């Protein structure tokens, strides 16, 4: 327990799928002026060095987000022109912003808390009382994130707790009602899946969250690996959303596998595919992902296979 460090995986294909989807969902939710409660149950360190020892050792970012630099020049092989998919261009523009407008080689990768904070701090959200609540249990990672938070503007709208994010989510929902505004919440559940009980914990936390706030938007990242808990998770989430009469979307991205996982690597090391499951997805999400994923699959392929899928129900 607690050996997982996301710094080895930051910017890998799983992060790319997760953060492109996160950005697309939040852009849609932020079109409305009402304040949002954003919750990240497993926040990580917030920001990662792509030239740091952990990223260099795993080489996952090199095979992931770094291939997308310059609109896909990093992929080496000739790529089709990037589709005019706003969602992808938005993601690349955000990465460029974190690295500085003149940077040719990206060295910084924003994790989910940094992405959420960047969006709620944009001029278009000025005067909107969005709030960001973060949970991170690992003492060292929590400390890294706390240090970053100290330098963020408007940090009083951000709350970081060193606590179990599954249990902590219960106290967050339903979000308080802002004066005459509907309750609006977005929750990212992105555990390390370091322990097999994480799969059941995701289910339980999501079921409890839906019971407390049926209209919240819930996004769960999951690895696609040959473990019984991992295989069953998307189907169990579909049943859960169905029982609650909620729309859902499930997207997967498979980049194929050519390399063996590092010795001692966790579930993300050597992983060929991952998925995002969104409950109450914005109606624009499926179309955005269907435009983005074929290009991403080609840009990130490891040469032997690339596949993607977007399924939805009730959206
Ligand atoms: N969401 C982050 C992002 O996209 O940038 C990555 C998060 S990483 C996959 C999972 C994080 O959860 C790790 O930093 C780990 O220390 C932390 N963690 C593990 N168990 C936890 C728990 N029960 N509650 C909160 N955080 C936990």
């Amino acid at each position: 327990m607690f050996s997982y460090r996301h710094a080895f995986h930051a910017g890998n294909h799983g992060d790319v799928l997760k953060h492109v989807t996160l950005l697309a969902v939040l852009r849609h939710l932020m079109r409305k002026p009402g304040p949002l409660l954003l919750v990240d149950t497993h926040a990580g360190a917030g920001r990662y060095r792509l030239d740091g020892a952990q990223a260099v050792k795993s080489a996952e970012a090199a095979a992931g987000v770094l291939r997308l630099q310059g609109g896909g020049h990093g992929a080496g092989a000739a790529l089709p022109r990037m589709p005019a998919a706003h969602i992808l261009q938005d993601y690349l523009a955000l990465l460029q912003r974190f690295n500085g407008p003149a940077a040719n080689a990206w060295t910084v990768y924003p994790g989910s808390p940094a992405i959420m904070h960047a969006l709620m701090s944009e001029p278009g959200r000025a005067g909107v009382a969005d709030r960001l609540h973060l949970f991170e249990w690992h003492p060292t990672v929590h400390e890294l994130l706390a240090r970053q938070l100290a330098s963020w503007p408007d940090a009083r709208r951000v709350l970081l707790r060193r606590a179990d994010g599954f249990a902590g989510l219960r106290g967050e929902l339903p979000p308080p009602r802002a004066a005459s505004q509907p309750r609006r919440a977005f929750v990212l559940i992105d555990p390390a899946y370091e322990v097999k009980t994480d799969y059941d914990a995701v289910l339980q936390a999501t079921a409890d969250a839906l019971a407390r706030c049926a209209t919240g938007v819930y996004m769960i990242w999951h690895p696609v690996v040959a473990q019984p808990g991992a295989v069953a998770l998307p189907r169990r989430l579909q049943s859960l959303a169905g029982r609650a009469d909620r729309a859902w979307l499930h997207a997967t991205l498979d980049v194929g596998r050519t390399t063996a996982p590092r010795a001692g690597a966790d579930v993300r090391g050597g992983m060929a595919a991952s998925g995002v499951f969104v409950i109450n997805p914005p109606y624009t999400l499926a179309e955005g992902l269907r435009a983005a994923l074929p290009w991403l699959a080609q840009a990130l392929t490891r040469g032997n296979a690339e596949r993607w899928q977007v399924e939805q129900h009730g959206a």
Side-chain angles (χ1 to χ4, degrees):
M1 180 82 179
F2 270 166
S3 59
Y4 180 88
R5 297 301 287 268
H6 196 67
F8 285 102
H9 309 297
N12 71 2
H13 61 87
D15 261 14
V16 173
L17 172 66
K18 177 189 11 172
H19 295 146
V20 165
T21 309
L22 173 67
L23 196 54
V25 170
L26 290 185
R27 285 286 183 219
H28 184 90
L29 294 179
M30 288 183 173
R31 279 195 212 158
K32 289 196 182 150
L36 275 166
L37 169 66
L38 309 174
V39 183
D40 194 346
T41 59
H42 296 71
R47 206 178 149 112
Y48 303 89
R49 293 295 312 184
L50 295 177
D51 55 355
Q54 291 150 316
V56 169
K57 181 169 180 197
S58 73
E60 290 187 29
V65 72
L66 291 177
R67 290 194 182 187
L68 309 182
Q69 290 178 119
H73 291 320
L79 267 182
R81 184 187 272 281
M82 184 190 294
H86 175 68
I87 169 179
L88 265 183
Q89 285 163 1
D90 200 13
Y91 174 64
L92 298 189
L94 187 79
L95 292 178
Q96 194 67 52
R97 215 162 91 198
F98 272 91
N99 282 276
N104 293 322
W106 293 337
T107 53
V108 173
Y109 190 77
S112 50
I115 293 173
M116 293 196 221
H117 180 257
L119 294 203
M120 63 190 254
S121 306
E122 286 184 352
R125 293 304 278 177
V128 182
D130 295 329
R131 286 170 304 127
L132 174 59
H133 289 184
L134 308 168
F135 293 90
E136 173 53 53
W137 217 2
H138 191 297
T140 314
V141 180
H142 172 269
E143 177 60 30
L144 288 170
L145 183 54
R147 260 191 256 147
Q148 274 185 51
L149 279 182
S151 67
W152 287 358
D154 216 2
R156 69 193 160 73
R157 290 202 281 143
V158 185
L159 194 67
L160 168 63
R161 294 201 184 96
R162 200 195 141 224
D164 175 13
F166 292 123
L169 181 56
R170 268 183 243 134
E172 298 290 340
L173 299 172
R177 191 184 290 277
S180 72
Q181 304 262 18
R183 302 173 193 274
R184 298 212 303 149
F186 168 82
V187 178
L188 173 64
I189 303 180
D190 180 28
Y193 299 100
E194 191 181 6
V195 285
K196 292 196 172 63
T197 51
D198 272 354
Y199 296 102
D200 283 341
V202 165
L203 252 301
Q204 269 163 26
T206 309
D208 184 74
L210 273 173
R212 286 167 194 274
C213 181
T215 55
V217 178
Y218 302 98
M219 178 175 150
I220 295 120
W221 181 91
H222 67 91
V224 176
V225 289
Q227 286 178 4
V231 172
L233 185 62
R235 195 174 21 81
R236 295 175 77 196
L237 284 168
Q238 284 173 20
S239 305
L240 175 62
R243 283 197 303 278
D245 201 19
R246 296 282 113 195
W248 56 263
L249 177 149
H250 182 218
T252 54
L253 177 63
D254 183 340
V255 299
R257 184 203 302 260
T258 54
T259 52
R262 274 179 303 121
D266 51 65
V267 75
R268 285 177 212 225
M271 166 190 80
S274 71
V276 281
F277 194 93
V278 185
I279 299 178
N280 295 324
Y283 73 91
T284 47
L285 184 61
E287 191 188 329
L289 287 174
R290 286 191 180 116
L293 292 184
W295 188 88
L296 271 181
Q298 276 187 276
L300 300 178
T301 184
R302 295 180 189 162
N304 54 355
E306 78 251 1
R307 278 188 301 252
W308 61 274
Q309 196 172 24
V310 177
E311 282 181 275
Q312 61 180 332
H313 180 79

